[in-house]
Amino acid sequence: MDTLIGTVLESAEKQDFQQFIQQLSTHDRRYLLRNEILQAFANYCQEKEKPVYFFHSSALGELVHAIHEILLEEDDIWLVLRTRIASQESWRLSVDLSEFELVPVRQLLDARTRFARSLPDHRLSKTLAEDQRLLCINFAPFHRDTPNIDDPRNIGQGLTFLNRYLCNQLSTYPDYWVEALFGVLQRQEFDGIPLLISDRIPAGTHLHEAVLQALRKVSQYPADTPYATLHLALQEIGFEPGWGNTAGRVYETLELLDRLLTVPSPALLEAFVSRIPAFLRVVLVSVHGWVGQEEVLGRAETMGQVIYVLEQARRLEQQLQQDVELAGLTWLGIQPHVTILTRLIPNCEGTQSSQRLEKLEGTKNGWILRVPFREFNPQVTQNWISKFEIWPYLESFALDAAPQLIKHCGGNPNLIIGHYSDGNLVAYLLARQFNAIQCNIAHSLEKSRYLFSDLYWQEFEDRYHFSAQFTADLITMNAADFIITSSYQEIMGTPDAIGQYESYKSFTMPQLYDVVDGINLFSPRFNVVPPGINELRYFPYSQRELRKRQFHPQHATSLCQQVHELLFERQGSTILGTLDHPEKRPILAVGAISQTNNQTELVKWFGQSQALRERCNLILITNKFCTTKASTSEEAQEIARLHELIQEYHLQGQMRWIGMQLTGDQMSEVYRAIADHQGIFINFARLESFGRSVLEAMRSGLPVFATEFGGVAEIIQDGDNGFYINPTDFGATTEKILAFLNQSDADPQLWQRVSQRAIQRIDRLCNWETHVRQLLLFARVYGFWDYVSRNSREALHCYLDALFHLLYKPRAANILDQHWQR
């Protein structure tokens, strides 16, 4: 990257660079991010009448496009350069551009702190010395002795990397690694029942000969011989149940092990490990409540997560039942156990969230277990608590949940899956106690959703308590055995934008701590596996017969008719707008009210486009309609602003706003009803980690226009099965949608082609069967890795314990003090 800077400073473009920096210095802001930098540079090029190529292709243009941050101080210019994914560098330049140097990230963090201190309304303590050093958090030393991915393009493919690494080790150091594999197989058991191998095979050096002997024995039986017939003969050799339910299945599994011991390969390792009957007690942790069936499905801020968790748990249990059957363990009466752990809420507002135990529909042994928070302050803990306020109660929740899980599951869980930051922290605490494998699923990392949420953390603290949340994130993402993300961008972003996990690489929280290296992005713990979708509920609009069989639970009329009336005709206290021309193509937008979901900008964009208003109607569906129903001040402000914008742009005849919670069946029919009218779906979010509504709309057959910021871009292939939009660029978004509508008018088959391709794309990439198979495979492979690397992780766990007790707990205690004052 020094070449980029050096090329500019040694050329005639140095003067342009100086003028550009001087122009930036005249702005009110001295800390600028990439979009602001590019816009300022575009303005500079226009003012100086630069040729078209200069913005992109000049030496200065290339440098400016690589700059993600500029911090202007009186004597120095600080740059964060990112010329490619996973590569950030900190540079200091003198104001006159006579000097430039690559600097350690700690110097940049110090500059950020000085900037925060210099703000006139900053909340930093004036009693601390200007040069006081903060706690420095650095996980880099723990990465040195672990295998790392070296190609950024392979980040998120941790299982593939680890399989290759383990097979290479098995070939290079066979004595050690065969003994390690033997140790993993020997420790498999369920409620004291030994599985796979017994102590009749004394060591790894005897394993291969025992496998050959067992193969000879099993080959004497017909392939369909039940395992019970083979049991005693195999037990004499040292093999216990778990190899298969028939002689044919047992032979196949033993042959895989034989080949793995002889000529190891990643494919063989994966095939063999996928048959190991491990992790039969699984707990999914989704703490913050309203986790239930029969349309409970969480509050607005967590609804997507709850749907994900319920479906993941249901499919996991079904897959484990199948695995146990194929492994031959039903002969022993062994049943897998899948539990969703969440909080019990006494004041449950008519939901089932006050029930301790609830059977998970569609499962034999899947459950929702609810554990109450301790009553620190009953006015708080007996009610629903926002995900931003939940931190003081998580440690005691984990302590209380542990014995209940043991009793409920009949033993220690061996795989703990955390959901969202709070669930991941509880998963960390439980995994340590149970000596279990820990999986993290973030859903959304708030740090990247709120601009400067680290630097200005004290400004956000009263409302969001980011100091506790970001500390919890650092602990759990470094503790996890493996991490599942929905997209590559969730980890690493794009060439133009930093990823959610990447945002934890280095940052500062003034007067609290500096993070020099917060996460190893090249760790094989990261795996990209998109979630599935409920294909029985979200099916294509063209399946008319299936739609006719759906009826609204409270009416004799069909669900189709009820939803059509809701979208286009019905009036009510939570519906605003009567369409003057209902025959226009509808644009559908769906989402809970929030700044991130960006409904106010959506309405402003539609209101400002006369061309779109002439061609289309906007139908907006949100969870709330009145400010009096808002759960937070932010939500109330967004609702009030929506009402103002609708009045300002006189949209009542061209827009309908439906502000009520719809059931899953209603929502699925909404997508299909819009498709009946050859409409489109729009996601106008500022950032979308993945977008459950995008998947639902595509599976229903709606052409989708979705924000390019986030992971949606990995599902949509722009122009083929959907379209990207930049919600900050109103003109380009309007132009793109109008172009599609005009082309669809000229070629009526275009809408159909995009619709069909969207359905095919979701069916191919987003299905729960693939998701849960991969998840269980991860658990088995990473469980093997955890066994062989446990000693090397002891220092890391000591470091994490220190952060938990010395940083996290005091931050959580501050929140508890605030709750006592309510």
Side-chain angles (χ1 to χ4, degrees):
M1 297 186 190
D2 57 338
T3 304
L4 279 177
I5 299 175
T7 300
V8 171
L9 298 185
E10 294 170 4
S11 71
E13 294 178 16
K14 177 179 180 180
Q15 183 177 358
D16 287 299
F17 192 18
Q18 286 178 315
Q19 292 175 351
F20 176 56
I21 294 296
Q22 290 171 358
Q23 189 179 80
L24 292 179
S25 301
T26 62
H27 294 183
D28 293 336
R29 297 181 58 185
R30 293 186 292 114
Y31 201 148
L32 295 95
L33 301 182
R34 188 172 189 273
N35 284 344
E36 299 169 300
I37 297 166
L38 289 177
Q39 184 59 56
F41 186 58
N43 294 338
Y44 173 82
C45 292
Q46 184 175 5
E47 291 173 9
K48 300 298 183 180
E49 298 182 346
K50 296 292 183 181
V52 174
Y53 81 89
F54 194 85
F55 178 74
H56 283 287
S57 304
S58 64
L60 179 56
E62 291 184 16
L63 173 60
V64 170
H65 278 79
I67 299 174
H68 275 250
E69 298 178 23
I70 290 182
L71 173 56
L72 303 173
E73 290 193 306
E74 185 175 342
D75 299 320
D76 296 307
I77 303 166
W78 299 86
L79 306 180
V80 175
L81 296 187
R82 187 173 180 268
T83 56
R84 62 184 185 277
I85 284 176
S87 178
Q88 290 188 45
E89 291 183 356
S90 306
W91 289 83
R92 185 195 65 81
L93 288 73
S94 59
V95 170
D96 62 3
L97 303 184
S98 61
E99 301 176 4
F100 67 96
E101 63 173 335
L102 178 67
V103 297
V105 68
R106 188 68 187 269
Q107 290 189 25
L108 173 67
L109 300 183
D110 288 342
R112 288 173 177 168
T113 299
R114 289 194 299 271
F115 167 75
R117 192 186 296 275
S118 70
L119 296 175
D121 57 347
H122 74 79
R123 295 172 60 178
L124 303 183
S125 172
K126 299 181 184 300
T127 63
L128 297 177
E130 292 286 329
D131 59 350
Q132 180 172 337
R133 305 297 289 178
L134 296 178
L135 169 67
C136 177
I137 297 176
N138 186 1
F139 286 95
F142 303 106
H143 307 153
R144 291 171 185 160
D145 297 326
T146 59
N148 284 308
I149 294 170
D150 51 15
D151 188 340
R153 292 172 296 183
N154 294 329
I155 291 173
Q157 300 176 39
L159 177 69
T160 301
F161 172 84
L162 199 53
N163 276 346
R164 290 174 181 165
Y165 176 81
L166 291 173
C167 286
N168 180 63
Q169 296 296 302
L170 193 57
S171 298
T172 308
Y173 309 103
D175 293 343
Y176 173 81
W177 287 91
V178 167
E179 202 65 42
L181 179 60
F182 171 78
V184 171
L185 297 177
Q186 191 179 47
R187 65 199 291 258
Q188 300 303 315
E189 58 85 30
F190 187 85
D191 286 350
I193 302 171
L195 303 179
L196 297 180
I197 60 177
S198 69
D199 55 10
R200 293 193 181 193
I201 305 174
T205 53
H206 298 80
L207 180 60
H208 193 204
E209 180 56 39
V211 169
L212 294 176
Q213 188 178 351
L215 284 169
R216 288 193 294 269
K217 179 69 70 174
V218 175
S219 66
Q220 299 172 13
Y221 295 86
D224 60 352
T225 304
Y227 173 79
T229 305
L230 312 174
H231 175 60
L232 291 178
L234 287 175
Q235 197 173 48
E236 289 180 1
I237 305 171
F239 290 91
E240 298 291 345
W243 297 95
N245 57 344
T246 65
R249 178 81 176 181
V250 171
Y251 190 91
E252 290 174 3
T253 309
L254 287 169
E255 187 178 40
L256 284 171
L257 179 54
D258 172 42
R259 293 168 61 194
L260 182 62
L261 294 171
T262 307
V263 188
S265 72
L268 281 173
L269 178 63
E270 186 168 317
F272 173 69
V273 169
S274 68
R275 295 185 176 215
I276 294 177
F279 305 106
L280 301 182
R281 291 191 176 104
V282 181
V283 174
L284 296 83
V285 186
S286 182
V287 182
H288 40 258
W290 302 118
V291 177
Q293 301 167 107
E294 299 181 5
E295 306 303 338
V296 179
L297 297 181
R299 284 278 177 102
E301 68 178 25
T302 59
M303 182 182 298
Q305 175 183 322
V306 172
I307 293 172
Y308 182 120
V309 172
L310 287 170
E311 199 63 30
Q312 185 187 61
R314 186 176 294 115
R315 299 303 179 95
L316 267 173
E317 196 274 346
Q318 293 168 356
Q319 183 63 50
L320 285 172
Q321 291 285 355
Q322 181 181 338
D323 290 349
V324 165
E325 170 67 29
L326 289 173
L329 299 183
T330 51
W331 172 68
L332 296 171
I334 291 176
Q335 279 285 319
H337 204 295
V338 174
T339 303
I340 298 172
L341 174 65
T342 188
R343 64 171 297 225
L344 184 149
I345 306 175
N347 298 333
C348 62
E349 301 180 18
T351 71
Q352 292 181 313
S353 297
S354 61
Q355 293 185 14
R356 177 182 177 274
L357 200 61
E358 181 181 349
K359 181 73 179 295
L360 192 59
E361 295 173 1
T363 68
K364 294 181 181 179
N365 206 13
W367 303 87
I368 301 172
L369 174 65
R370 301 185 181 92
V371 176
F373 283 168
R374 293 182 187 175
E375 291 190 352
F376 293 95
N377 179 353
Q379 293 184 353
V380 175
T381 52
Q382 289 195 0
N383 299 295
W384 174 82
I385 301 174
S386 164
K387 64 182 182 180
F388 296 115
E389 302 284 339
I390 205 168
W391 304 104
Y393 312 104
L394 298 182
E395 182 182 17
S396 58
F397 175 78
L399 290 170
D400 294 342
Q404 294 198 41
L405 283 170
I406 295 172
K407 182 178 179 180
H408 170 68
C409 299
N412 284 4
N414 42 31
L415 173 61
I416 313 289
I417 304 171
H419 288 271
Y420 189 66
S421 296
D422 51 12
N424 288 331
L425 187 68
V426 174
Y428 159 71
L429 296 171
L430 291 174
R432 293 298 305 277
Q433 179 166 345
F434 293 137
N435 195 23
I437 296 299
Q438 177 190 346
C439 166
N440 279 14
I441 302 176
H443 292 278
S444 175
L445 291 166
E446 303 295 339
K447 186 173 177 297
S448 56
R449 294 166 69 95
Y450 294 83
L451 198 61
F452 294 120
S453 55
D454 49 0
L455 192 62
Y456 303 153
W457 69 273
Q458 288 168 309
E459 307 296 326
F460 290 99
E461 192 68 359
D462 290 344
R463 179 183 293 185
Y464 297 120
H465 308 295
F466 285 148
S467 65
Q469 183 160 7
F470 296 171
T471 305
D473 286 335
L474 284 171
I475 293 169
T476 60
M477 65 179 58
N478 281 283
D481 292 284
F482 65 99
I483 297 171
I484 288 178
T485 70
S486 296
S487 66
Y488 177 88
Q489 294 188 41
E490 190 176 334
I491 310 168
M492 294 305 306
T494 68
D496 299 329
I498 291 173
Q500 292 186 52
Y501 279 94
E502 188 182 4
S503 71
Y504 285 79
K505 183 67 175 175
S506 64
F507 62 95
T508 186
M509 300 183 77
Q511 294 188 345
L512 187 59
Y513 56 70
D514 284 339
V515 177
V516 173
D517 194 319
I519 183 68
N520 179 12
L521 299 167
F522 290 86
S523 168
R525 64 163 56 97
F526 286 106
N527 288 277
V528 176
V529 188
I533 191 170
N534 187 338
E535 65 276 1
L536 298 179
R537 171 172 285 169
Y538 298 98
F539 56 85
Y541 77 100
S542 56
Q543 296 184 11
R544 304 288 178 185
E545 291 303 316
L546 187 56
R547 293 173 68 183
K548 288 179 182 178
R549 294 197 290 270
Q550 290 190 315
F551 283 84
H552 194 283
Q554 296 176 341
H555 301 275
T557 53
S558 71
L559 184 62
C560 293
Q561 183 176 343
Q562 290 291 325
V563 169
H564 183 275
E565 292 173 357
L566 173 68
L567 290 175
F568 299 102
E569 300 170 8
R570 191 197 308 175
Q571 297 299 308
S573 59
T574 57
I575 301 174
L576 177 64
T578 301
L579 300 180
D580 294 339
H581 299 283
E583 72 281 359
K584 292 180 181 180
R585 286 187 192 260
I587 299 175
L588 173 67
V590 173
I593 295 284
S594 73
Q595 290 180 359
T596 302
N597 285 338
N598 211 26
Q599 286 97 345
T600 53
E601 289 298 290
L602 167 71
V603 171
K604 185 188 298 185
W605 161 76
F606 183 75
Q608 291 178 2
S609 176
Q610 191 60 39
L612 266 180
R613 292 171 64 172
E614 291 175 359
R615 296 284 300 276
C616 304
N617 293 315
L618 176 63
I619 298 179
L620 173 64
I621 299 179
T622 66
N623 60 311
K624 303 280 180 65
F625 184 81
C626 302
T627 55
T628 55
K629 300 293 184 181
S631 302
T632 65
S633 59
E634 174 190 306
E635 196 174 55
Q637 291 170 3
E638 293 295 299
I639 293 171
R641 183 61 179 148
L642 279 172
H643 283 284
E644 292 172 0
L645 288 168
I646 292 170
Q647 293 294 325
E648 179 181 343
Y649 291 105
H650 307 290
L651 293 175
Q652 291 87 343
Q654 298 164 328
M655 171 185 171
R656 275 172 68 82
W657 176 12
I658 302 167
M660 65 178 71
Q661 197 73 61
L662 303 185
T663 68
D665 287 335
Q666 287 174 320
M667 198 63 244
S668 65
E669 184 56 32
V670 164
Y671 297 122
R672 293 189 287 267
I674 298 298
D676 287 338
H677 290 73
Q678 301 282 284
I680 62 174
F681 178 84
I682 190 165
N683 179 304
F684 215 73
R686 296 175 180 176
L687 174 70
E688 184 61 76
S689 299
F690 198 66
R692 179 177 57 87
S693 61
V694 170
L695 305 187
E696 294 168 354
M698 291 178 72
R699 182 68 179 20
S700 303
L702 267 179
V704 167
F705 290 77
T707 178
E708 64 185 25
F709 303 121
V712 174
E714 292 178 35
I715 291 296
I716 292 175
Q717 296 167 311
D718 192 32
D720 180 74
N721 48 45
F723 304 88
Y724 307 151
I725 60 169
N726 180 347
T728 66
D729 190 336
F730 284 12
T733 299
T734 300
E735 184 178 332
K736 197 165 195 176
I737 291 177
L738 286 175
F740 173 72
L741 297 180
N742 291 334
Q743 292 168 21
S744 297
D745 289 344
D747 176 11
Q749 293 303 310
L750 173 62
W751 190 97
Q752 295 287 352
R753 287 196 296 272
V754 175
S755 169
Q756 192 59 38
R757 289 169 185 163
I759 296 168
Q760 293 169 354
R761 181 73 169 171
I762 299 304
D763 285 345
R764 185 167 61 254
L765 292 185
C766 302
N767 65 83
W768 282 115
E769 182 178 355
T770 299
H771 177 96
V772 298
R773 284 182 178 175
Q774 286 292 99
L775 190 156
L776 290 172
L777 182 59
F778 297 154
R780 290 159 182 158
V781 172
Y782 287 92
F784 177 33
W785 177 249
D786 177 73
Y787 175 79
V788 298
S789 64
R790 181 152 297 184
N791 290 339
S792 66
R793 288 166 58 88
E794 288 181 0
L796 171 63
H797 285 301
C798 290
Y799 192 67
L800 294 173
D801 282 345
L803 294 181
F804 178 76
H805 287 283
L806 301 179
L807 276 182
Y808 172 78
K809 290 184 69 172
R811 304 312 308 173
N814 288 345
I815 305 171
L816 186 61
D817 289 342
Q818 295 176 21
H819 289 181
W820 271 115
Q821 297 169 13
R822 292 184 180 179

